[in-house]
Amino acid sequence: MAVYLVSALLLLTQCQMAPVDYPPLENSSLSEAKFELGELLNTSEHSSPQPPGTIRCTPQTIIVGVRKGGTRALLEMLDIHPNIVVAATEVHFFDWDENYIKGIDWYRNLMPFSYENQITIEKTPGYFTSLQAPERIHGMNSSIKLLLILRDPTERVISDYTQVYYNRLENHKPVQTFEGIVIKNGALNTKYKAIQRSLYDVHMERWLRYFNLDQIHIVDGNTLIRTPLTELQKVERFLDLPPRIVSSNFYFNQTKGFYCIRSDGRERCLHESKGRPHPVVNETVLQQLYSYFREHNHRFYKMVNQSFDWH
């Protein structure tokens, strides 16, 4: 019954003046997997005064995934654009039932204040693999524009493992080697969640039931790392924004080994948790992963009428 009520609330206007008091997140015992996907709410943003002439809007664009594909880098780089405002945290409204039942007003109140000429963007990587998110987002706004950033599926699996590995170390929990998880009884463990998340064709098929392909722009995560401006200019065109992001907005940090951001007289790099060294993976295991993903990759290429330089 609660879900039906939420669907009705989603028909409300997308923008409205923000109330003075904002409802806090309810306490809930989230699983470890959900904790790894989410981020704590940045309460300082929501306690700031409302600038004159601004409102809160539900997003006109959502970065729907993919986990460990470069969603944080994409969001922070887009934040350079003066016509974009971004949500500071991963909201998990459309993929977590305990958030979705709180309703569209709760969701909107977690968005930043924006002026009339700005679009609001939020990113939650868990949306792409969620069974419910496509239908729920479509119910909110059937004409919304979606951003999906992907990288080589094998690299994404290794990066996924690396994040969980370091999280477990920091929390003094036991860890396993990559090969110990990926290989079970001498065969590839295709039930491993990180592998399931890299089956882009399986998940994309679900999104295409609700959205036209021209509503979904795919960002090449591998290219974003090497030459960020190229990918960001494509996003500007997709979002019908004036070109405002330029090469001087980026500089290569030799120590970190990736591009950092320069804007508004400030320089900043992604959090230290980004770009952690990956484990050296057994070559035979790598070849098994490449082989497993190959057919899925080609099916995905046909779905989106686009090819990528993946193994």
Side-chain angles (χ1 to χ4, degrees):
M1 180 64 182
V3 173
Y4 290 117
L5 290 174
V6 169
S7 298
L9 288 171
L10 290 178
L11 297 176
L12 293 173
T13 180
Q14 294 181 12
C15 300
Q16 61 180 220
M17 302 302 291
V20 176
D21 296 314
Y22 312 116
L25 273 175
E26 296 176 6
N27 293 327
S28 60
S29 55
L30 300 180
S31 66
E32 179 182 349
K34 285 189 174 182
F35 180 79
E36 290 162 356
L37 278 171
E39 295 176 342
L40 294 176
L41 281 176
N42 184 342
T43 54
S44 62
E45 176 185 297
H46 305 292
S47 60
S48 60
Q50 178 177 352
T54 65
I55 53 177
R56 291 192 196 272
C57 294
T58 55
Q60 296 90 346
T61 299
I62 298 178
I63 300 174
V64 296
V66 63
R67 169 179 159 121
K68 305 312 297 177
T71 58
R72 173 54 60 183
L74 177 60
L75 188 76
E76 294 201 12
M77 290 175 179
L78 287 176
D79 195 27
I80 296 169
H81 201 292
N83 297 106
I84 290 176
V85 292
V86 304
T89 60
E90 295 177 7
V91 182
H92 288 277
F93 179 64
F94 298 103
D95 60 335
W96 289 3
D97 291 343
E98 60 264 43
N99 285 344
Y100 189 68
I101 62 174
K102 296 173 185 176
I104 196 66
D105 287 337
W106 179 88
Y107 179 57
R108 185 189 294 108
N109 287 336
L110 296 179
M111 296 302 114
F113 293 113
S114 61
Y115 291 97
E116 187 177 357
N117 67 334
Q118 292 178 314
I119 64 173
T120 300
I121 299 180
E122 79 119 321
K123 74 102 174 174
T124 299
Y127 291 161
F128 184 56
T129 57
S130 165
L131 297 178
Q132 301 87 4
E135 182 177 9
R136 288 173 173 178
I137 293 175
H138 184 272
M140 177 188 73
N141 182 358
S142 61
S143 61
I144 197 168
K145 291 188 174 183
L146 305 173
L147 295 173
L148 173 62
I149 180 167
L150 302 175
R151 63 194 291 198
D152 184 296
T154 298
E155 292 179 12
R156 202 218 63 79
V157 170
I158 298 170
S159 184
D160 199 318
Y161 162 84
T162 301
Q163 174 174 294
V164 175
Y165 174 85
Y166 280 104
N167 285 346
R168 293 184 69 82
L169 279 184
E170 290 167 3
N171 288 286
H172 309 290
K173 295 182 178 181
V175 295
Q176 290 180 269
T177 64
F178 181 76
E179 291 81 359
I181 296 176
V182 172
I183 302 297
K184 293 293 183 184
N185 300 319
L188 197 65
N189 178 17
T190 59
K191 300 299 182 183
Y192 177 36
K193 286 184 179 179
I195 290 179
Q196 290 288 312
R197 293 186 188 109
S198 280
L199 301 178
Y200 302 150
D201 60 323
V202 173
H203 307 301
M204 192 66 176
E205 185 174 37
R206 192 162 50 247
W207 286 89
L208 292 176
R209 293 178 197 149
Y210 296 94
F211 298 99
N212 296 324
L213 187 57
D214 60 9
Q215 289 179 255
I216 307 173
H217 177 73
I218 300 172
V219 178
D220 188 330
N222 296 88
T223 303
L224 186 73
I225 295 171
R226 297 191 302 268
T227 55
L229 184 61
T230 303
E231 289 301 307
L232 293 169
Q233 288 174 334
K234 294 177 184 176
V235 175
E236 285 179 322
R237 291 192 291 271
F238 173 70
L239 298 179
D240 297 318
L241 292 173
R244 294 291 182 268
I245 302 176
V246 296
S247 58
S248 60
N249 288 132
F250 307 99
Y251 66 96
F252 191 79
N253 186 305
Q254 295 288 348
T255 303
K256 292 182 175 293
F258 51 78
Y259 280 91
C260 296
I261 300 168
R262 182 186 292 119
S263 66
D264 300 325
R266 298 183 299 115
E267 294 183 350
R268 66 184 190 278
C269 291
L270 296 179
H271 189 268
E272 61 184 13
S273 64
K274 307 298 181 182
R276 284 168 166 167
H278 289 179
V280 177
V281 179
N282 178 279
E283 184 63 30
T284 301
V285 174
L286 278 178
Q287 293 302 323
Q288 286 179 275
L289 286 166
Y290 295 154
S291 177
Y292 178 71
F293 287 126
R294 194 164 292 125
E295 183 178 342
H296 287 281
N297 292 346
H298 287 300
R299 184 168 179 262
F300 178 76
Y301 298 162
K302 291 180 180 179
M303 285 175 138
V304 300
N305 301 318
Q306 190 176 349
S307 295
F308 297 87
D309 188 22
W310 299 336
H311 290 93

